[in-house]
Amino acid sequence: MSDIDLIIFDCDGVLIDSEGLSARVLIRVLADLGVDVDMDYFCANFVGRSFPTVARDIRENWHVALPEGFEQSYRDELLDVFERELQPTPGLVGMLDSLQTPCCVATSSSPERVSHSLRIAKLSGRFGADIFTASEIRRGKPAPDLFLHAAGRMGVDPARCLVIEDSIPGVAAALAAQMRVLRYTGGEHLKGRILKHPHTVPTFDNWSDLRLLAPQLTMGGYAHGGQG
């Protein structure tokens, strides 16, 4: 990966250890509507997708019309949980400190949610304005649109981009954009789970391993463990 000019990070489940918290809240509020979703279903169908896509899945597969205000109510409760519990993924801060390659964020989260999440996790200053969301494009992951949009805005050829993702839709989107991709599996929601993705996609569950997979992207050696 000596020809990488840009690293594109997903946010939820990559920069922040949020997917387990999101699952806990969504599973509970859906149970109040009689929708029995478990963690396996959440990981297989909701991780990496925008809320409109999740809502469509619920309507089509569970034949439930979400009540007016459901999305905002869910987001409000989730933000409250985030304020108390959200953390960066373990070792992330040390890795970011070591990066010598430009980076940005491309996420299926709403602009409001990603802004709040990065603030709570004390990561707001890490990316400046280089944060791109699914609200800016027509098709979300697994379509390549979001990653191509991010590369275009950053002025980098897609072939010279590396995407770091945790979700199957995100991995598919990166491959469709003809970008290199690594799958990060260190988030709480993927621990102990069977991972399904193309065998050509490398995985890692510790940020210190990024230096081993792509040593030219970081300065030699950095502190890791804990929260960085």
Side-chain angles (χ1 to χ4, degrees), residues 7-48:
I7 303 173
I8 304 176
F9 291 102
D10 178 41
C11 184
D12 290 283
V14 174
L15 298 177
I16 55 174
D17 208 353
S18 56
E19 293 292 11
L21 303 178
S22 299
R24 190 175 79 201
V25 174
L26 187 58
I27 288 170
R28 190 194 64 73
V29 297
L30 287 177
D32 292 341
L33 301 177
V35 177
D36 184 19
V37 171
D38 60 16
M39 189 63 179
D40 288 334
Y41 191 90
F42 178 92
C43 288
N45 297 278
F46 296 163
V47 170

mmCIF file of all heavy atoms in Angstrom, residues 7-48:
data_model
loop_
_atom_site.group_PDB
_atom_site.id
_atom_site.type_symbol
_atom_site.label_atom_id
_atom_site.label_comp_id
_atom_site.label_asym_id
_atom_site.label_seq_id
_atom_site.Cartn_x
_atom_site.Cartn_y
_atom_site.Cartn_z
ATOM 1 N N ILE A 7 -6.625 8.008 3.561
ATOM 2 C CA ILE A 7 -7.331 6.989 4.339
ATOM 3 C C ILE A 7 -8.737 7.513 4.610
ATOM 4 O O ILE A 7 -8.907 8.628 5.113
ATOM 5 C CB ILE A 7 -6.631 6.687 5.676
ATOM 6 C CG1 ILE A 7 -5.189 6.237 5.441
ATOM 7 C CG2 ILE A 7 -7.396 5.611 6.454
ATOM 8 C CD1 ILE A 7 -4.386 6.082 6.722
ATOM 9 N N ILE A 8 -9.743 6.708 4.265
ATOM 10 C CA ILE A 8 -11.138 7.058 4.521
ATOM 11 C C ILE A 8 -11.646 6.163 5.646
ATOM 12 O O ILE A 8 -11.755 4.948 5.476
ATOM 13 C CB ILE A 8 -12.011 6.882 3.268
ATOM 14 C CG1 ILE A 8 -11.449 7.704 2.099
ATOM 15 C CG2 ILE A 8 -13.459 7.287 3.561
ATOM 16 C CD1 ILE A 8 -12.215 7.504 0.795
ATOM 17 N N PHE A 9 -11.934 6.757 6.785
ATOM 18 C CA PHE A 9 -12.451 6.014 7.921
ATOM 19 C C PHE A 9 -13.967 6.044 7.936
ATOM 20 O O PHE A 9 -14.578 7.113 7.798
ATOM 21 C CB PHE A 9 -11.973 6.638 9.244
ATOM 22 C CG PHE A 9 -10.511 6.495 9.527
ATOM 23 C CD1 PHE A 9 -9.643 7.560 9.317
ATOM 24 C CD2 PHE A 9 -9.990 5.309 10.037
ATOM 25 C CE1 PHE A 9 -8.294 7.446 9.606
ATOM 26 C CE2 PHE A 9 -8.636 5.191 10.321
ATOM 27 C CZ PHE A 9 -7.779 6.259 10.105
ATOM 28 N N ASP A 10 -14.585 4.895 8.138
ATOM 29 C CA ASP A 10 -15.961 4.872 8.607
ATOM 30 C C ASP A 10 -15.948 5.395 10.044
ATOM 31 O O ASP A 10 -14.895 5.453 10.681
ATOM 32 C CB ASP A 10 -16.504 3.440 8.549
ATOM 33 C CG ASP A 10 -17.920 3.333 9.065
ATOM 34 O OD1 ASP A 10 -18.740 4.214 8.764
ATOM 35 O OD2 ASP A 10 -18.196 2.373 9.813
ATOM 36 N N CYS A 11 -17.119 5.767 10.564
ATOM 37 C CA CYS A 11 -17.163 6.309 11.923
ATOM 38 C C CYS A 11 -17.642 5.259 12.932
ATOM 39 O O CYS A 11 -16.862 4.758 13.735
ATOM 40 C CB CYS A 11 -18.059 7.542 11.971
ATOM 41 S SG CYS A 11 -18.086 8.355 13.596
ATOM 42 N N ASP A 12 -18.917 4.907 12.881
ATOM 43 C CA ASP A 12 -19.489 3.990 13.871
ATOM 44 C C ASP A 12 -18.875 2.607 13.744
ATOM 45 O O ASP A 12 -18.897 2.005 12.662
ATOM 46 C CB ASP A 12 -21.011 3.910 13.700
ATOM 47 C CG ASP A 12 -21.683 5.199 14.120
ATOM 48 O OD1 ASP A 12 -21.812 5.428 15.329
ATOM 49 O OD2 ASP A 12 -22.070 5.992 13.236
ATOM 50 N N GLY A 13 -18.338 2.111 14.838
ATOM 51 C CA GLY A 13 -17.725 0.794 14.838
ATOM 52 C C GLY A 13 -16.277 0.792 14.400
ATOM 53 O O GLY A 13 -15.611 -0.238 14.477
ATOM 54 N N VAL A 14 -15.774 1.946 13.955
ATOM 55 C CA VAL A 14 -14.375 2.069 13.541
ATOM 56 C C VAL A 14 -13.678 3.119 14.395
ATOM 57 O O VAL A 14 -12.777 2.813 15.165
ATOM 58 C CB VAL A 14 -14.261 2.400 12.035
ATOM 59 C CG1 VAL A 14 -12.807 2.674 11.650
ATOM 60 C CG2 VAL A 14 -14.804 1.247 11.201
ATOM 61 N N LEU A 15 -14.110 4.370 14.280
ATOM 62 C CA LEU A 15 -13.540 5.421 15.124
ATOM 63 C C LEU A 15 -14.110 5.369 16.538
ATOM 64 O O LEU A 15 -13.393 5.606 17.517
ATOM 65 C CB LEU A 15 -13.814 6.796 14.522
ATOM 66 C CG LEU A 15 -13.209 7.086 13.149
ATOM 67 C CD1 LEU A 15 -13.635 8.459 12.668
ATOM 68 C CD2 LEU A 15 -11.692 6.977 13.184
ATOM 69 N N ILE A 16 -15.393 5.097 16.622
ATOM 70 C CA ILE A 16 -16.066 5.066 17.926
ATOM 71 C C ILE A 16 -16.706 3.703 18.139
ATOM 72 O O ILE A 16 -17.221 3.095 17.196
ATOM 73 C CB ILE A 16 -17.120 6.189 18.045
ATOM 74 C CG1 ILE A 16 -18.122 6.123 16.882
ATOM 75 C CG2 ILE A 16 -16.455 7.549 18.104
ATOM 76 C CD1 ILE A 16 -19.269 7.103 16.994
ATOM 77 N N ASP A 17 -16.687 3.242 19.375
ATOM 78 C CA ASP A 17 -17.230 1.920 19.696
ATOM 79 C C ASP A 17 -18.714 2.067 20.015
ATOM 80 O O ASP A 17 -19.163 1.883 21.149
ATOM 81 C CB ASP A 17 -16.474 1.314 20.882
ATOM 82 C CG ASP A 17 -16.482 -0.203 20.848
ATOM 83 O OD1 ASP A 17 -17.176 -0.775 19.980
ATOM 84 O OD2 ASP A 17 -15.785 -0.814 21.673
ATOM 85 N N SER A 18 -19.480 2.375 18.968
ATOM 86 C CA SER A 18 -20.868 2.801 19.138
ATOM 87 C C SER A 18 -21.911 1.766 18.759
ATOM 88 O O SER A 18 -23.064 1.855 19.198
ATOM 89 C CB SER A 18 -21.115 4.054 18.282
ATOM 90 O OG SER A 18 -20.794 3.790 16.920
ATOM 91 N N GLU A 19 -21.543 0.791 17.927
ATOM 92 C CA GLU A 19 -22.581 -0.087 17.380
ATOM 93 C C GLU A 19 -23.247 -0.940 18.449
ATOM 94 O O GLU A 19 -24.444 -1.203 18.381
ATOM 95 C CB GLU A 19 -21.993 -0.970 16.276
ATOM 96 C CG GLU A 19 -21.565 -0.222 15.029
ATOM 97 C CD GLU A 19 -22.725 0.371 14.231
ATOM 98 O OE1 GLU A 19 -23.877 0.385 14.730
ATOM 99 O OE2 GLU A 19 -22.472 0.823 13.113
ATOM 100 N N GLY A 20 -22.506 -1.375 19.451
ATOM 101 C CA GLY A 20 -23.123 -2.129 20.548
ATOM 102 C C GLY A 20 -24.126 -1.287 21.301
ATOM 103 O O GLY A 20 -25.207 -1.770 21.680
ATOM 104 N N LEU A 21 -23.807 -0.005 21.522
ATOM 105 C CA LEU A 21 -24.733 0.905 22.198
ATOM 106 C C LEU A 21 -25.964 1.146 21.333
ATOM 107 O O LEU A 21 -27.102 1.143 21.823
ATOM 108 C CB LEU A 21 -24.043 2.235 22.507
ATOM 109 C CG LEU A 21 -22.767 2.165 23.354
ATOM 110 C CD1 LEU A 21 -22.166 3.562 23.536
ATOM 111 C CD2 LEU A 21 -23.053 1.535 24.711
ATOM 112 N N SER A 22 -25.753 1.358 20.031
ATOM 113 C CA SER A 22 -26.873 1.575 19.112
ATOM 114 C C SER A 22 -27.792 0.366 19.080
ATOM 115 O O SER A 22 -29.022 0.514 19.075
ATOM 116 C CB SER A 22 -26.342 1.866 17.703
ATOM 117 O OG SER A 22 -25.549 3.025 17.684
ATOM 118 N N ALA A 23 -27.194 -0.821 19.060
ATOM 119 C CA ALA A 23 -27.994 -2.047 19.045
ATOM 120 C C ALA A 23 -28.857 -2.148 20.290
ATOM 121 O O ALA A 23 -30.048 -2.472 20.212
ATOM 122 C CB ALA A 23 -27.083 -3.261 18.924
ATOM 123 N N ARG A 24 -28.265 -1.884 21.435
ATOM 124 C CA ARG A 24 -28.994 -2.004 22.699
ATOM 125 C C ARG A 24 -30.227 -1.099 22.712
ATOM 126 O O ARG A 24 -31.320 -1.526 23.089
ATOM 127 C CB ARG A 24 -28.062 -1.629 23.854
ATOM 128 C CG ARG A 24 -28.631 -1.956 25.219
ATOM 129 C CD ARG A 24 -27.576 -1.665 26.274
ATOM 130 N NE ARG A 24 -27.480 -0.249 26.583
ATOM 131 C CZ ARG A 24 -26.424 0.324 27.133
ATOM 132 N NH1 ARG A 24 -25.345 -0.388 27.402
ATOM 133 N NH2 ARG A 24 -26.426 1.604 27.412
ATOM 134 N N VAL A 25 -30.045 0.151 22.256
ATOM 135 C CA VAL A 25 -31.162 1.091 22.270
ATOM 136 C C VAL A 25 -32.195 0.722 21.222
ATOM 137 O O VAL A 25 -33.409 0.685 21.499
ATOM 138 C CB VAL A 25 -30.653 2.529 22.046
ATOM 139 C CG1 VAL A 25 -31.820 3.495 21.914
ATOM 140 C CG2 VAL A 25 -29.753 2.956 23.198
ATOM 141 N N LEU A 26 -31.762 0.433 20.003
ATOM 142 C CA LEU A 26 -32.720 0.145 18.934
ATOM 143 C C LEU A 26 -33.492 -1.133 19.205
ATOM 144 O O LEU A 26 -34.713 -1.197 18.978
ATOM 145 C CB LEU A 26 -32.001 0.052 17.592
ATOM 146 C CG LEU A 26 -32.907 -0.080 16.363
ATOM 147 C CD1 LEU A 26 -33.875 1.090 16.269
ATOM 148 C CD2 LEU A 26 -32.079 -0.197 15.086
ATOM 149 N N ILE A 27 -32.816 -2.154 19.694
ATOM 150 C CA ILE A 27 -33.504 -3.412 20.004
ATOM 151 C C ILE A 27 -34.593 -3.179 21.048
ATOM 152 O O ILE A 27 -35.697 -3.722 20.949
ATOM 153 C CB ILE A 27 -32.486 -4.469 20.479
ATOM 154 C CG1 ILE A 27 -31.640 -4.951 19.291
ATOM 155 C CG2 ILE A 27 -33.185 -5.653 21.148
ATOM 156 C CD1 ILE A 27 -30.448 -5.809 19.679
ATOM 157 N N ARG A 28 -34.301 -2.344 22.039
ATOM 158 C CA ARG A 28 -35.290 -2.081 23.087
ATOM 159 C C ARG A 28 -36.485 -1.297 22.570
ATOM 160 O O ARG A 28 -37.629 -1.655 22.849
ATOM 161 C CB ARG A 28 -34.640 -1.313 24.247
ATOM 162 C CG ARG A 28 -35.535 -1.225 25.477
ATOM 163 C CD ARG A 28 -35.053 -0.216 26.472
ATOM 164 N NE ARG A 28 -35.070 1.142 25.953
ATOM 165 C CZ ARG A 28 -36.188 1.842 25.774
ATOM 166 N NH1 ARG A 28 -37.372 1.323 26.057
ATOM 167 N NH2 ARG A 28 -36.118 3.061 25.305
ATOM 168 N N VAL A 29 -36.236 -0.229 21.782
ATOM 169 C CA VAL A 29 -37.363 0.585 21.325
ATOM 170 C C VAL A 29 -38.193 -0.158 20.277
ATOM 171 O O VAL A 29 -39.418 0.040 20.195
ATOM 172 C CB VAL A 29 -36.901 1.957 20.798
ATOM 173 C CG1 VAL A 29 -36.250 2.759 21.910
ATOM 174 C CG2 VAL A 29 -35.957 1.831 19.612
ATOM 175 N N LEU A 30 -37.562 -1.037 19.509
ATOM 176 C CA LEU A 30 -38.332 -1.845 18.558
ATOM 177 C C LEU A 30 -39.172 -2.885 19.286
ATOM 178 O O LEU A 30 -40.288 -3.213 18.850
ATOM 179 C CB LEU A 30 -37.400 -2.527 17.556
ATOM 180 C CG LEU A 30 -36.771 -1.622 16.495
ATOM 181 C CD1 LEU A 30 -35.808 -2.422 15.625
ATOM 182 C CD2 LEU A 30 -37.845 -0.963 15.624
ATOM 183 N N ALA A 31 -38.655 -3.407 20.394
ATOM 184 C CA ALA A 31 -39.431 -4.373 21.178
ATOM 185 C C ALA A 31 -40.732 -3.753 21.661
ATOM 186 O O ALA A 31 -41.763 -4.440 21.757
ATOM 187 C CB ALA A 31 -38.609 -4.878 22.351
ATOM 188 N N ASP A 32 -40.714 -2.451 21.957
ATOM 189 C CA ASP A 32 -41.935 -1.765 22.384
ATOM 190 C C ASP A 32 -42.992 -1.749 21.280
ATOM 191 O O ASP A 32 -44.180 -1.577 21.556
ATOM 192 C CB ASP A 32 -41.626 -0.322 22.798
ATOM 193 C CG ASP A 32 -40.788 -0.255 24.068
ATOM 194 O OD1 ASP A 32 -40.749 -1.258 24.808
ATOM 195 O OD2 ASP A 32 -40.158 0.796 24.317
ATOM 196 N N LEU A 33 -42.547 -1.932 20.018
ATOM 197 C CA LEU A 33 -43.476 -1.967 18.878
ATOM 198 C C LEU A 33 -43.810 -3.398 18.479
ATOM 199 O O LEU A 33 -44.495 -3.621 17.481
ATOM 200 C CB LEU A 33 -42.865 -1.237 17.679
ATOM 201 C CG LEU A 33 -42.504 0.235 17.882
ATOM 202 C CD1 LEU A 33 -41.848 0.785 16.623
ATOM 203 C CD2 LEU A 33 -43.740 1.053 18.243
ATOM 204 N N GLY A 34 -43.297 -4.368 19.234
ATOM 205 C CA GLY A 34 -43.548 -5.767 18.912
ATOM 206 C C GLY A 34 -42.605 -6.347 17.881
ATOM 207 O O GLY A 34 -42.854 -7.417 17.331
ATOM 208 N N VAL A 35 -41.495 -5.643 17.607
ATOM 209 C CA VAL A 35 -40.505 -6.121 16.640
ATOM 210 C C VAL A 35 -39.362 -6.769 17.420
ATOM 211 O O VAL A 35 -38.636 -6.106 18.161
ATOM 212 C CB VAL A 35 -39.966 -4.964 15.771
ATOM 213 C CG1 VAL A 35 -38.881 -5.466 14.822
ATOM 214 C CG2 VAL A 35 -41.106 -4.317 14.994
ATOM 215 N N ASP A 36 -39.202 -8.076 17.258
ATOM 216 C CA ASP A 36 -38.228 -8.849 18.036
ATOM 217 C C ASP A 36 -36.936 -8.996 17.239
ATOM 218 O O ASP A 36 -36.737 -9.978 16.519
ATOM 219 C CB ASP A 36 -38.813 -10.210 18.384
ATOM 220 C CG ASP A 36 -37.878 -11.025 19.279
ATOM 221 O OD1 ASP A 36 -36.984 -10.408 19.892
ATOM 222 O OD2 ASP A 36 -38.049 -12.259 19.353
ATOM 223 N N VAL A 37 -36.055 -8.021 17.354
ATOM 224 C CA VAL A 37 -34.771 -8.023 16.657
ATOM 225 C C VAL A 37 -33.675 -8.375 17.662
ATOM 226 O O VAL A 37 -33.651 -7.826 18.768
ATOM 227 C CB VAL A 37 -34.489 -6.635 16.046
ATOM 228 C CG1 VAL A 37 -33.069 -6.557 15.503
ATOM 229 C CG2 VAL A 37 -35.490 -6.331 14.937
ATOM 230 N N ASP A 38 -32.779 -9.287 17.290
ATOM 231 C CA ASP A 38 -31.674 -9.621 18.184
ATOM 232 C C ASP A 38 -30.362 -9.059 17.632
ATOM 233 O O ASP A 38 -30.327 -8.428 16.562
ATOM 234 C CB ASP A 38 -31.567 -11.130 18.407
ATOM 235 C CG ASP A 38 -31.334 -11.920 17.123
ATOM 236 O OD1 ASP A 38 -30.957 -11.310 16.097
ATOM 237 O OD2 ASP A 38 -31.507 -13.151 17.150
ATOM 238 N N MET A 39 -29.273 -9.280 18.337
ATOM 239 C CA MET A 39 -27.989 -8.714 17.959
ATOM 240 C C MET A 39 -27.509 -9.273 16.629
ATOM 241 O O MET A 39 -26.902 -8.559 15.825
ATOM 242 C CB MET A 39 -26.954 -8.982 19.052
ATOM 243 C CG MET A 39 -25.650 -8.247 18.864
ATOM 244 S SD MET A 39 -25.862 -6.455 18.934
ATOM 245 C CE MET A 39 -24.163 -5.908 18.700
ATOM 246 N N ASP A 40 -27.765 -10.540 16.363
ATOM 247 C CA ASP A 40 -27.354 -11.132 15.091
ATOM 248 C C ASP A 40 -28.044 -10.424 13.924
ATOM 249 O O ASP A 40 -27.420 -10.123 12.905
ATOM 250 C CB ASP A 40 -27.671 -12.626 15.051
ATOM 251 C CG ASP A 40 -26.750 -13.431 15.956
ATOM 252 O OD1 ASP A 40 -25.622 -12.973 16.206
ATOM 253 O OD2 ASP A 40 -27.165 -14.509 16.414
ATOM 254 N N TYR A 41 -29.344 -10.182 14.079
ATOM 255 C CA TYR A 41 -30.083 -9.506 13.010
ATOM 256 C C TYR A 41 -29.572 -8.077 12.850
ATOM 257 O O TYR A 41 -29.402 -7.594 11.724
ATOM 258 C CB TYR A 41 -31.582 -9.494 13.327
ATOM 259 C CG TYR A 41 -32.431 -9.054 12.156
ATOM 260 C CD1 TYR A 41 -32.920 -9.981 11.246
ATOM 261 C CD2 TYR A 41 -32.723 -7.709 11.942
ATOM 262 C CE1 TYR A 41 -33.687 -9.585 10.161
ATOM 263 C CE2 TYR A 41 -33.486 -7.292 10.861
ATOM 264 C CZ TYR A 41 -33.972 -8.245 9.971
ATOM 265 O OH TYR A 41 -34.718 -7.839 8.887
ATOM 266 N N PHE A 42 -29.324 -7.408 13.969
ATOM 267 C CA PHE A 42 -28.820 -6.041 13.919
ATOM 268 C C PHE A 42 -27.504 -5.987 13.141
ATOM 269 O O PHE A 42 -27.334 -5.148 12.250
ATOM 270 C CB PHE A 42 -28.620 -5.521 15.346
ATOM 271 C CG PHE A 42 -28.063 -4.126 15.415
ATOM 272 C CD1 PHE A 42 -28.902 -3.030 15.479
ATOM 273 C CD2 PHE A 42 -26.684 -3.911 15.417
ATOM 274 C CE1 PHE A 42 -28.383 -1.735 15.538
ATOM 275 C CE2 PHE A 42 -26.157 -2.635 15.471
ATOM 276 C CZ PHE A 42 -27.014 -1.542 15.530
ATOM 277 N N CYS A 43 -26.570 -6.875 13.466
ATOM 278 C CA CYS A 43 -25.270 -6.860 12.804
ATOM 279 C C CYS A 43 -25.382 -7.200 11.321
ATOM 280 O O CYS A 43 -24.679 -6.624 10.488
ATOM 281 C CB CYS A 43 -24.322 -7.843 13.488
ATOM 282 S SG CYS A 43 -23.756 -7.283 15.125
ATOM 283 N N ALA A 44 -26.273 -8.124 10.984
ATOM 284 C CA ALA A 44 -26.395 -8.565 9.596
ATOM 285 C C ALA A 44 -27.141 -7.565 8.719
ATOM 286 O O ALA A 44 -26.875 -7.477 7.513
ATOM 287 C CB ALA A 44 -27.106 -9.919 9.543
ATOM 288 N N ASN A 45 -28.056 -6.795 9.300
ATOM 289 C CA ASN A 45 -28.953 -5.989 8.481
ATOM 290 C C ASN A 45 -28.895 -4.485 8.720
ATOM 291 O O ASN A 45 -29.308 -3.716 7.839
ATOM 292 C CB ASN A 45 -30.396 -6.459 8.687
ATOM 293 C CG ASN A 45 -30.605 -7.882 8.236
ATOM 294 O OD1 ASN A 45 -30.800 -8.155 7.059
ATOM 295 N ND2 ASN A 45 -30.550 -8.828 9.175
ATOM 296 N N PHE A 46 -28.415 -4.069 9.870
ATOM 297 C CA PHE A 46 -28.467 -2.650 10.198
ATOM 298 C C PHE A 46 -27.101 -1.966 10.238
ATOM 299 O O PHE A 46 -27.002 -0.777 9.952
ATOM 300 C CB PHE A 46 -29.162 -2.439 11.554
ATOM 301 C CG PHE A 46 -30.610 -2.856 11.585
ATOM 302 C CD1 PHE A 46 -31.252 -3.049 12.800
ATOM 303 C CD2 PHE A 46 -31.322 -3.077 10.423
ATOM 304 C CE1 PHE A 46 -32.589 -3.424 12.852
ATOM 305 C CE2 PHE A 46 -32.663 -3.469 10.461
ATOM 306 C CZ PHE A 46 -33.295 -3.637 11.674
ATOM 307 N N VAL A 47 -26.062 -2.683 10.620
ATOM 308 C CA VAL A 47 -24.741 -2.069 10.755
ATOM 309 C C VAL A 47 -24.262 -1.563 9.396
ATOM 310 O O VAL A 47 -24.301 -2.282 8.396
ATOM 311 C CB VAL A 47 -23.724 -3.065 11.343
ATOM 312 C CG1 VAL A 47 -22.304 -2.499 11.256
ATOM 313 C CG2 VAL A 47 -24.066 -3.378 12.789
ATOM 314 N N GLY A 48 -23.828 -0.321 9.368
ATOM 315 C CA GLY A 48 -23.309 0.278 8.144
ATOM 316 C C GLY A 48 -24.344 0.906 7.253
ATOM 317 O O GLY A 48 -24.006 1.466 6.206
#
